[in-house]
Amino acid sequence: MSALSLSGVGKVFNPGSDQEVRAVHGIDLEVGRGEFVSVIGPSGCGKSTLLRLIGDLTPPSAGTVSVNGKTPARARLDRDYGMVFQSATLLDWRKVAANVELPLEIMGMGEAERSRQAAAMLDLVQLGRFAGHYPWQLSGGMQQRVAIARALAFKPSILLMDEPFGALDEMTRERMQAELLRIRAETGTTVVFVTHSIPEAVFLSTRVVIMSSRPGTITEVVDIDLPEPRSYETREDRRFFDLLTKVREGLRAVEAS
Amino acid sequence: MLYHRLPAIGIFVGGLIVWEGVVRAFDIKGFILPAPTAIAATFSAETADLLTAGAGTFSTALAGLLLGGALAVLMALAAARWRFVRDGALPFAIAANSTPIIVLAPIANSWFGLRSPFASIFVVAILVFFPVMINLVRGLLSVEASEVELMESYAAGRLTTLWKLQLPNATPYLFSALKVAAALSLIGAIVKEFFGGSQDRLGQYITTKAGLLQFEEAWAAIVLASIFGIVLYNVVVLIERRVIPWHVSVRNV
Ligand SMILES: Nc1ncnc2c1ncn2[C@@H]1O[C@H](COP(=O)(O)OP(=O)(O)O)[C@@H](O)[C@H]1O
Ligand SMILES: [Mg+2]
């Protein structure tokens, strides 16, 4: 059974009104357990909408989404999803550790276990020393790592990430990418990752999904057959450059149409 | 810390000196403006009466503030939780908040009886109720859509979202409303007493002494009321610092 299975999925906002938007249309996609799938495409092509459809934050207008063989609503209630948005969305009044504990608290985990789990997650993103800080005392990159620790804290089977590194500088971004791959190797989580950076998509993924806009639909899926584990050398591999070119051409075809 | 207070202390002391000097130089009569030293002398001579009156007024103001504040919190929670409560109650609350509610004072006297402390408590409670409720509702509802979605992604229930997201988000709004309400509560209590009530209350003390042309006494009572106001405000500020150390208005950068 695949982790995610979408067939004929479409979303129309404000149907029937003069503000009707066909955000995504006719999406068919299978994502296997432990896969890392990136979604790339011009802005406004429906990447966030696609992620929100998978995560049951908005209902589809057409087609079906199935998550670990369940409806998205069931999967959300079962806490199958960890979500990371473009902004860290940390709660100002909670210190870093308490922010990571938030989902655990909601899920009714006991206090001792909660703080142990939060400490372990903060170590994973190398922020153990900052457990007692408030979010505003951290840089943007550190806040985003807290958000990732929070999303991983309850060991979701699927991680949905919407341009999580979009606001970071290039150096921090590459370090975060390496950390994300390391964490994924340790946890075996399935990841759907929205980005508009071609190198990021190629470096991280097992497959890259290219979308076109109006209506947002999948035009091409590129298999990324780079050797595992990915490392600093990966970025200098010939194959890496070939794949960059392949994705770039796929995107150019989309933007020309 | 002290360094930053020096200008304010300077203005305060300088203001008193100028006041004293002007009163003496132009020989201003006590019924127009008594000198600070005259007010201070009266204050120490009348301490017992003033403190009795002050304690009575202050305690009704405080009782009204707590009652009105507590009711406002309950109402705001209901309005945040149920849309129909919000749609039904909020327009009236906003309308009431822009009317001079203090005009209810004489009516409260006839409802509860001139000497009943409940007349004062009622006026104060109703005066603080609307600004506290309106601000708190605003705070409860002004959460980011992304924060709400985060809670949804954890399958958090409505109450959990209210408790863990909306309420903490609203505490800064609550405190800024409470600072306004602290001042309103003393205004409400004293103005209500202007319209009658027990003799040993600040409002009655001020009107009686002014009627007898004993302006030093009246001014001493005004000073006491100001001190109560400032103390009450600062108590709210101290609590605020403890409760929301994370907020921009409080954090030490
Ligand atoms: N809640 C919404 N209501 C109306 N239109 C929306 C809504 N969310 C997204 N859209 C529209 O759907 C399209 C796709 O948006 P989005 O999924 O955010 O694109 P992307 O993430 O690829 O930039 C855009 O045209 C956007 O304006
Ligand atoms: Mg987007």
Side-chain angles (χ1 to χ4, degrees):
Chain A
M1 180 183 56
S2 43
L4 281 176
S5 164
L6 285 74
S7 89
V9 173
K11 176 72 188 181
V12 182
F13 287 107
N14 313 315
S17 81
D18 55 352
Q19 290 177 26
E20 178 174 300
V21 180
R22 282 174 72 194
V24 296
H25 182 74
I27 303 273
D28 297 310
L29 183 67
E30 295 280 329
V31 178
R33 284 251 153 103
E35 252 202 281
F36 195 121
V37 172
S38 285
V39 180
I40 194 165
S43 97
C45 73
K47 304 181 293 294
S48 298
T49 304
L50 179 61
L51 217 56
R52 292 160 51 78
L53 286 166
I54 298 171
D56 191 42
L57 293 177
T58 190
S61 321
T64 54
V65 179
S66 124
V67 182
N68 297 329
K70 300 176 279 196
T71 64
R74 186 67 250 162
R76 183 166 64 83
L77 293 177
D78 289 349
R79 278 100 184 208
D80 284 352
Y81 303 116
M83 297 196 195
V84 181
F85 307 98
Q86 190 164 7
S87 70
T89 328
L90 302 178
L91 303 184
D92 287 342
W93 51 89
R94 287 174 168 255
K95 291 183 176 171
V96 164
N99 261 292
V100 177
E101 284 183 39
L102 175 70
L104 308 176
E105 236 172 86
I106 293 172
M107 292 164 199
M109 186 186 280
E111 202 176 322
E113 199 186 343
R114 224 161 59 207
S115 70
R116 205 173 328 116
Q117 179 69 2
M121 289 301 133
L122 284 174
D123 283 342
L124 200 64
V125 296
Q126 297 171 345
L127 283 177
R129 286 194 312 113
F130 293 90
H133 284 58
Y134 280 108
W136 58 271
Q137 295 172 310
L138 271 52
S139 72
M142 290 156 89
Q143 292 185 11
Q144 201 58 297
R145 272 143 74 196
V146 177
I148 292 171
R150 179 181 60 188
L152 292 167
F154 55 98
K155 304 202 185 329
S157 65
I158 297 173
L159 203 51
L160 302 177
M161 307 179 90
D162 194 350
E163 300 184 31
F165 307 147
L168 306 184
D169 63 84
E170 200 53 38
M171 294 303 294
T172 316
R173 201 175 172 133
E174 287 191 2
R175 229 189 26 247
M176 297 285 293
Q177 291 166 359
E179 269 182 57
L180 179 59
L181 286 183
R182 179 173 58 77
I183 290 166
R184 172 169 161 269
E186 281 176 32
T187 56
T189 314
T190 308
V191 186
V192 181
F193 189 96
V194 169
T195 178
H196 48 224
S197 158
I198 300 170
E200 181 167 83
V202 172
F203 179 70
L204 291 173
S205 314
T206 54
R207 270 191 301 159
V208 175
V209 169
I210 301 173
M211 284 181 71
S212 71
S213 41
R214 262 162 271 284
T217 193
I218 296 176
T219 53
E220 193 181 343
V221 177
V222 179
D223 283 312
I224 307 295
D225 46 6
L226 288 168
E228 304 278 352
R230 312 279 165 89
S231 68
Y232 187 73
E233 283 84 63
T234 308
R235 294 184 203 274
E236 291 169 357
D237 195 319
R238 264 227 64 84
R239 185 77 195 125
F240 180 71
F241 289 104
D242 292 345
L243 287 164
L244 284 188
T245 309
K246 195 162 182 204
V247 173
R248 188 173 295 121
E249 276 167 3
L251 272 173
R252 192 168 298 148
V254 159
E255 298 199 330
S257 65
Chain B
M1 232 24 223
L2 182 67
Y3 180 79
H4 293 291
R5 302 227 156 127
L6 280 180
I9 293 170
I11 288 173
F12 180 71
V13 173
L16 285 180
I17 291 170
V18 169
W19 179 354
E20 184 81 30
V22 167
V23 169
R24 289 192 186 199
F26 298 99
D27 194 22
I28 294 173
K29 296 287 174 286
F31 65 85
I32 295 177
L33 184 66
T37 46
I39 296 171
T42 311
F43 204 106
S44 60
E46 295 274 316
T47 308
D49 281 2
L50 278 170
L51 285 185
T52 312
T57 299
F58 191 64
S59 56
T60 47
L62 195 60
L65 178 62
L66 293 177
L67 179 67
L71 291 175
V73 169
L74 290 179
M75 189 69 191
L77 287 174
R81 172 66 184 81
W82 292 288
R83 188 168 190 122
F84 75 93
V85 175
R86 185 154 79 239
D87 291 344
L90 225 48
F92 295 103
I94 291 167
N97 200 32
S98 31
T99 56
I101 293 174
I102 189 71
V103 295
L104 282 179
I107 293 165
N109 276 339
S110 75
W111 283 355
F112 292 90
L114 264 183
R115 303 194 150 272
S116 165
F118 294 112
S120 283
I121 293 175
F122 170 77
V123 169
V124 174
I126 209 162
L127 208 55
V128 303
F129 177 85
F130 292 105
V132 173
M133 177 200 154
I134 290 170
N135 260 286
L136 190 53
V137 170
R138 194 169 291 148
L140 289 167
L141 296 182
S142 68
V143 285
E144 305 266 342
S146 60
E147 293 171 340
V148 175
E149 290 188 342
L150 183 74
M151 298 301 278
E152 277 176 20
S153 80
Y154 301 144
R158 293 286 295 269
L159 271 180
T160 308
T161 303
L162 184 62
W163 186 247
K164 293 197 188 289
L165 174 63
Q166 292 175 280
L167 207 55
N169 185 70
T171 30
Y173 293 78
L174 176 63
F175 276 104
S176 51
L178 283 180
K179 284 186 256 182
V180 174
L184 274 180
S185 71
L186 275 167
I187 294 175
I190 294 173
V191 171
K192 143 72 187 66
E193 290 159 1
F194 284 169
F195 291 101
S198 178
Q199 278 304 302
D200 47 5
R201 293 285 194 272
L202 279 184
Q204 276 299 300
Y205 186 95
I206 293 169
T207 42
T208 309
K209 297 297 182 186
L212 298 170
L213 305 181
Q214 295 175 343
F215 288 99
E216 281 87 355
E217 279 85 346
W219 272 94
I222 291 168
V223 169
L224 184 63
S226 312
I227 292 173
F228 278 144
I230 292 165
V231 168
L232 192 56
Y233 179 88
N234 279 290
V235 168
V236 176
V237 170
L238 280 179
I239 298 174
E240 179 183 38
R241 287 211 182 129
R242 293 207 64 113
V243 176
I244 52 170
W246 50 270
H247 194 248
V248 209
S249 62
V250 174
R251 61 177 76 143
N252 298 311
V253 184

